[in-house]
Amino acid sequence: MSLIKMEITGYNDKAYSSKISGKPYEVLINPEKLTWNKSVEYSDVSPQNSGYAGLKYKSSNTETLDFELVIDATGIIDSKRVHLTTELDRLNKIVYNYNGKNHRPNFVVIRWGKSTAFKGVLKSLNTTYKLFKPNGVPIRATVALSFSSSLDSATRAKKEDKNSPDLTHLVDVKMGDTLPQISQTYYDDTDYFIEISKFNKLNKFRNLHVGTQLVLPPLVEGENT
């Protein structure tokens, strides 16, 4: 079984449908580790006209990927890739250099293994030269790279696939619906059923009539306590 090398491919567009000219950059040595960071932000919120507050999902923040490459141009790793400057130029062209066509650096896809890929843009690139010929020409370097995820709006919406609690919703009551169930669906919490009842001026919230249209107000940020 041959080793699958990491590949970094440049794209002109945020939908990753138009590759830049030239071949992807195939790393000489796969990185020893990859750090894929994900974080979620929450806020204290309550339905409008309610003093009840709770911790609610706000957003999934931009993901980041960090790793370090060793670029060895001594000829030990690959006898055909012995020019460090050429290697760094190829890498920089894909991840860092300004793309005049789009007036910005490229979007990139970083692939390794058989099914893992990260789509994003470069945040930072730091090169450290490690080994030199007697005449001072560098022949080995480490490159620390950091990327932020970047998706087009259609792909992001499909990935999130959620009913936003930050929007007003009109809900038609169906057979078997209950207010706690509706609260769970739209607010990800059953505890807002009383506020829904008050907002819609329902006298008997346990007996919902099929076909009734309920207004679900958006969650609003509250002060942290």
Side-chain angles (χ1 to χ4, degrees), residues 1 19 30 61 83 100 109 121 138 143 145 170 178 189 216:
M1 180 182 294
K19 293 182 181 180
N30 279 338
N61 295 329
H83 301 289
V109 175
V121 292
V143 183
L145 296 146
L170 297 177
T178 66
D189 195 324
L216 274 60

Side-chain angles (χ1 to χ4, degrees), residues 3 6 33 45 65 79 85 96 100 105 113 134-135 142 168 172 174 194 204 210 214 223:
L3 177 66
M6 173 187 282
K33 67 176 183 177
V45 293
L65 181 71
S79 60
T85 300
Y96 173 75
N135 62 0
T142 59
T168 298
D172 294 321
K174 301 185 297 295
I194 294 177
K204 297 181 179 180
V210 175
L214 302 177
E223 295 183 357

Side-chain angles (χ1 to χ4, degrees), residues 67-71 88 91-92 125-128 141-145:
F67 58 90
E68 187 174 271
L69 296 179
V70 175
I71 301 180
L88 293 174
L91 178 61
N92 275 271
L125 182 156
N126 296 290
T127 304
T128 303
T142 59
V143 183
L145 296 146

